[in-house]
Amino acid sequence: MKIGYARVSTLEQNPDLQHDALKKAGCKKIYTDSVSGVKADRPALNEILEYIRKGDCLVVWRLDRLGRSLKHLIEVVEDLENRKVGFISLQEGINTATAGGRLVFHLFGALSEFERNLIRERTCAGLAAARARGRMGGRKHKLNLVQVKTLCSMYESRKHTISEICKVMGISKPTLYEYLKKKR
């Protein structure tokens, strides 16, 4: 059975164009969400993904109606493929029930993975360049060396409670214990 999914970004937008195209494509059921494309919570899409069964086919008017991002789109379609559910995008002419449709969709997936790898490589190269210049990542230290020595002597003297030391130093208890652990 063909099941349609339509999405409009706001309540003011009208899904009629999508509904007409989905009906013309032979969809027996049509689910509609009225949420922004970047929102993760899409009740109608979640309902479809629970309802759809092996041998069914999810139909959308355009790819951007289904996925929040290319990565999300690929995840949804791969999930459908694993469940032996077809996928059709009317405007792009993609039909994963055909060899050509699967090829096009897998090309999208390969390009997405390539993009993720490029981002990872650039990030690693940037971090290495920063380290070579003596810059270390992460949060700045809350206390300087003199303050750490004071903290340790207050702790070792046992004249002050942990809460008092934290209040004087302006740090939390976990931070205090981290400094003590590093000092040992």
Side-chain angles (χ1 to χ4, degrees), residues 12 71 80 109 144 176:
E12 292 83 38
K71 180 183 178 209
L80 293 172
N144 61 35
L176 176 130

Side-chain angles (χ1 to χ4, degrees), residues 6-32:
R7 183 185 59 78
V8 290
S9 298
T10 64
L11 293 173
E12 292 83 38
Q13 291 179 339
N14 191 329
D16 289 347
L17 171 71
Q18 294 177 56
H19 285 186
D20 292 345
L22 293 170
K23 285 176 188 169
K24 188 176 178 183
C27 293
K28 303 293 183 218
K29 285 186 161 211
I30 297 175
Y31 294 78
T32 305

Side-chain angles (χ1 to χ4, degrees), residues 24-123:
K24 188 176 178 183
C27 293
K28 303 293 183 218
K29 285 186 161 211
I30 297 175
Y31 294 78
T32 305
D33 273 325
S34 293
V35 293
S36 168
V38 295
K39 297 282 185 191
D41 185 34
R42 296 181 183 187
L45 179 59
N46 293 338
E47 194 175 333
I48 288 173
L49 295 176
E50 284 181 30
Y51 174 81
I52 207 160
R53 301 286 176 256
K54 181 179 177 180
D56 288 345
C57 187
L58 176 62
V59 183
V60 295
W61 180 61
R62 280 183 38 181
L63 287 174
D64 67 345
R65 301 293 90 195
L66 179 63
R68 294 188 315 269
S69 63
L70 182 58
K71 180 183 178 209
H72 178 250
L73 178 68
I74 290 168
E75 288 171 358
V76 169
V77 175
E78 283 179 349
D79 176 57
L80 293 172
E81 196 172 274
N82 290 338
R83 294 165 51 189
K84 307 289 189 243
V85 173
F87 172 73
I88 295 174
S89 175
L90 299 173
Q91 290 295 303
E92 289 84 5
I94 295 174
N95 181 349
T96 61
T98 67
R102 282 191 301 277
L103 172 66
V104 169
F105 204 80
H106 287 289
L107 286 173
F108 280 148
L111 290 172
S112 178
E113 185 176 344
F114 176 69
E115 180 185 23
R116 281 192 303 271
N117 288 336
L118 284 177
I119 291 168
R120 187 179 311 117
E121 287 174 9
R122 283 194 301 261
T123 301

